Amino acid sequence: MKSTIVTIGDEILIGQILDTNSRYISQALNRIGVVVAERTSIGDSAEQIVSTLDRALAQSDIVIITGGLGPTKDDITKHTLSRYFNSELIYNEQVGNFVEQLLSRRGIAFTELNRGQAMVPKCCTVLHNAHGTAPGMWFEHEGKVVVSLPGVPFEMVHLIDDSVVPMLAEHFELKAIVHRTMITSGIPESILAERIASWEDSLPEVLHLAYLPAPNVVRLRLSAYEVEEQSAKALIDSEFEKLRYIIPEAIVGFENATVEELVHRWMTENGKTLSVAESCTGGNIASKFTAMAGASAYFQAGVVSYSNEAKRDILGVNMDDIVRYGAVSETVAIQMAEGVKRVGQSDYAIATTGIAGPTGGSELKPVGTVWIAVSTPKGTFATLKNCGTDRGQVIDRATAYAIKLLYDNL
Amino acid sequence: MKSTIVTIGDEILIGQILDTNSRYISQALNRIGVVVAERTSIGDSAEQIVSTLDRALAQSDIVIITGGLGPTKDDITKHTLSRYFNSELIYNEQVGNFVEQLLSRRGIAFTELNRGQAMVPKCCTVLHNAHGTAPGMWFEHEGKVVVSLPGVPFEMVHLIDDSVVPMLAEHFELKAIVHRTMITSGIPESILAERIASWEDSLPEVLHLAYLPAPNVVRLRLSAYEVEEQSAKALIDSEFEKLRYIIPEAIVGFENATVEELVHRWMTENGKTLSVAESCTGGNIASKFTAMAGASAYFQAGVVSYSNEAKRDILGVNMDDIVRYGAVSETVAIQMAEGVKRVGQSDYAIATTGIAGPTGGSELKPVGTVWIAVSTPKGTFATLKNCGTDRGQVIDRATAYAIKLLYDNL
């Protein structure tokens, strides 16, 4: 079963917002066996919506649309869909009452524009939006399904999970899509490709191999589309098993587990604890761990010691050493890691201190210079990394290197 | 001048990665006056690439493609483009030598696959990629331009900035696109729309109004496409000026400045300093500030005090109060804010303590319960917020509320 995802909104085309809806919907559809053939983003234009719908319905069985359902004049998706399906807008009392209640709980008056949000095409099935004022809509047309959802990410997520996914699984006879990703580290992509070339050439036709390179890591993904789930999983497992003999030293793990997820799992399973002291990464490492449910079981403390005084007062870094070696130095990184391990009373600690830029660099320590320290029950050490030239890139890379350095020393 | 952006890669369609390239390219094209008519993401399939190119060239003058230029077999963009333009691949010595140097600096052997990366369609202009092994390619075809770039975001960014943008500005006669966004706060979208309805109805036809609602904030964007820049800017300014008389209490600021950017600007301009103590937001607030260049001028310290001991030892929170009122309480939030203000020696401080979930909630304090405290030179106070039910949502909303609460009290 093929699908097309359409996100509507001028704010996407001018780059004012990042389209995260498409990704969420892609993942949800893949999980239930619906192949995403194309994702497209278009403006708030009736003409574009109609031509895109024509094309999407020609190439796929399912079309998921988000956006353009707000109460204001720039939102035209609902009117356009109603005309597209030769329907008319009628007042839906259930939606009207719900929106009125929702607004009254928040102390907001129910206006004529909100009343308009309860007008829905006669031909659609209304999908209850428990978290907002625009309902979802489910259309059936010549054996195909078109779903229109609000663009507010949180409202879309609930509608996809609570309504669209179960309804699609009920409506269509769906097979499975199986993706499994092996994480390798230490072999550059082109060398890796040569080493596994004969394995790749002998893969069964039903399996598709993709290389996904990232700093320090190449992921290998095997995918099987519209298959019987258990046998496809077994087939992929047996193919990956062969790589244990070909690149045994490079296999880090499986699935999309990020390195922080691997650390998270290890800390949880081993009952150990972690603290983090950050200068240039500014809280990014702490937020990666604390974003994961269950982090409170092992994450003790994070300190973003941006100022030298914070390094001294909170972490106990020696101010003379800061003056002598500089805040970006091996000595300071090590003292930060040991300091946060001590104040956080944890078994492990990470510390970063570097120059994120755009200013603050020098010839000796250019922007991107980052000292990363890891403290374990066995001791503390630091390593120097050049993390690029762009502030966001420096923060991201230093974060990745630091978490990887900890992982390698668990 | 119209454009279509095409991102290629199965990893986008299955939702394995978030497509950030499209947004970056959209912003870059808008800045030089190129209208983005559509953004589309397709798989690594020659058939799909060809049909998408046909359509993109029919509807636009410029097509920017990213992805599918790696050294491995799943990357087919270059071969497909070469066939599409009836060209042939030839070895480009300059690219070959550069890739060889780049790899040798990183201690990696130059393989047959890397040699393949220096093979480029004879008909294209090569765009030098200083940061990776796949060159960019510029094709001209019946007065239209097709550009193919590697999908690695950092490499794409440099090629867009250093080559594609200046070349497009040189090649085409471009007019300007002007977007200006007013930030309002405190009036719900539907009420706002009613209050400014007659203003909206009398807008000149060249201006397009969009409503962009977000928690606590509605942004109003006025856009003018392919216009003379100075007069369009003046026109937009004069229209926004009228709103000062219609919704004077609601106007927070202009442009896409996030609330953290407004705080950043205020702290910098006023020479004041900030520290942050986070429990449930786990470093997210600190990382929002430290992501901005120049944050080191005012950001003193962040403390992620996840454990009760960290709250006591680093921030000086009274352990008896934690036991009596709970870690998620007004008292603890206030002590955290005052504690981090003291240890960070800063003028202002924010603190959050709450239940991010999915576990840890109770009937009295369900998941989403967050106490937010702000400490200013005038004093410290805390407020209770329900930030939703989903861990990521709780972290995001608590972060937004906390930064807004600080901003309102500067």
Side-chain angles (χ1 to χ4, degrees), chain A residues 12 39-40 73 201 302 304, chain B residues 12 38-39 73 201 302 304:
Chain A
I12 302 172
R39 282 162 38 170
T40 186
K73 286 180 191 161
D201 289 338
V304 183
Chain B
I12 302 172
E38 184 189 344
R39 284 163 34 171
K73 286 180 192 162
D201 289 338
V304 183

Side-chain angles (χ1 to χ4, degrees), chain A residues 181 183 217 219 252-262 265:
Chain A
T181 302
I183 310 166
V217 159
R219 290 185 166 77
V252 175
F254 279 96
E255 295 313 332
N256 252 339
T258 54
V259 184
E260 56 266 25
E261 283 165 352
L262 298 174
R265 208 177 298 162

Side-chain angles (χ1 to χ4, degrees), chain B residues 375-409:
Chain B
S375 188
T376 76
K378 288 186 199 150
T380 307
F381 65 96
T383 182
L384 178 65
K385 283 280 178 191
N386 186 308
C387 298
T389 49
D390 168 85
R391 187 177 181 90
Q393 184 197 32
V394 171
I395 294 173
D396 283 349
R397 286 198 185 169
T399 299
Y401 280 132
I403 298 174
K404 181 65 166 52
L405 193 65
L406 170 66
Y407 179 68
D408 288 341
N409 288 280

Side-chain angles (χ1 to χ4, degrees), chain A residues 10-20 23 26-27 30 36-43 48 55 71-75 108-109 111-114 154 158 179 181 188-191 193-194 197 200-201 209-212 219 221 223 225 256 281-284 286-287 290-296 299-307 309-310 312-314 343 345 357-358 389-391 393 395 397, chain B residues 10-20 23 26-27 30 36-43 48 55 71-75 108-109 111-114 154 158 179 181 188-191 193-194 197 200-201 209-212 219 221 223 225 256 281-284 286-287 290-296 299-307 309-310 312-314 343 345 357-358 389-391 393 395 397:
Chain A
D10 291 339
E11 66 274 21
I12 302 172
L13 295 183
I14 67 172
Q16 190 164 21
I17 66 153
L18 187 63
D19 172 21
T20 54
R23 183 196 196 186
S26 299
Q27 290 175 335
N30 268 267
V36 178
E38 184 189 345
R39 282 162 38 170
T40 186
S41 301
I42 56 174
Q48 259 197 313
R55 188 163 55 80
T72 55
K73 286 180 191 161
D74 53 328
D75 292 306
I108 300 172
T111 71
E112 198 49 43
L113 288 178
N114 299 125
F154 187 64
H158 277 276
H179 302 291
T181 302
E189 185 184 15
S190 51
I191 312 277
E194 294 203 340
E200 179 174 354
D201 289 338
L209 175 68
Y211 290 78
L212 306 159
R219 290 185 166 77
R221 190 190 65 239
S223 301
Y225 291 92
N256 252 339
T281 52
N284 199 42
S287 68
T290 59
M292 294 181 279
S296 54
F299 193 88
Q300 297 284 99
V303 172
V304 183
S305 53
Y306 239 49
S307 69
E309 291 71 25
R312 177 191 64 194
D313 298 342
I314 307 177
V343 298
Q345 299 177 27
T389 49
D390 168 84
R391 188 177 180 90
Q393 182 195 33
I395 294 173
R397 286 199 186 168
Chain B
D10 291 339
E11 66 275 19
I12 302 172
L13 294 183
I14 68 172
Q16 190 164 23
I17 65 153
L18 186 64
D19 172 22
T20 54
R23 183 195 195 187
S26 298
Q27 291 175 335
N30 267 267
V36 178
E38 184 189 344
R39 284 163 34 171
T40 186
S41 301
I42 55 174
Q48 259 197 315
R55 188 162 56 80
T72 55
K73 286 180 192 162
D74 52 328
D75 293 306
I108 300 172
T111 71
E112 199 49 44
L113 288 178
N114 298 124
F154 188 64
H158 276 277
H179 302 293
T181 302
E189 185 184 16
S190 50
I191 311 276
E194 295 202 339
E200 179 174 353
D201 289 338
L209 175 68
Y211 290 78
L212 305 160
R219 291 186 165 77
R221 189 191 65 238
S223 300
Y225 292 93
N256 251 338
T281 51
N284 199 42
S287 68
T290 58
M292 295 180 279
S296 55
F299 193 88
Q300 297 283 99
V303 172
V304 183
S305 53
Y306 238 50
S307 69
E309 291 71 25
R312 178 191 61 195
D313 298 343
I314 306 178
V343 300
Q345 299 177 26
T389 49
D390 168 85
R391 187 177 181 90
Q393 184 197 32
I395 294 173
R397 286 198 185 169

Side-chain angles (χ1 to χ4, degrees), chain A residues 311 317 321-322 325-337 353:
Chain A
K311 291 183 181 71
V317 176
D321 287 339
I322 295 180
Y325 304 106
V328 179
S329 62
E330 182 174 16
T331 312
V332 170
I334 285 178
Q335 290 182 24
M336 285 173 67
T353 179

Side-chain angles (χ1 to χ4, degrees), chain A residues 277-284 304-306 311 328 336 352-357 368-372 387 391 394-396 398-399, chain B residues 290-291:
Chain A
E278 305 181 66
S279 187
C280 64
T281 52
N284 199 42
V304 183
S305 53
Y306 239 49
K311 291 183 181 71
V328 179
M336 285 173 67
T352 61
T353 179
I355 298 150
T369 304
V370 182
W371 276 98
I372 297 168
C387 297
R391 188 177 180 90
V394 171
I395 294 173
D396 283 349
T399 298
Chain B
T290 58

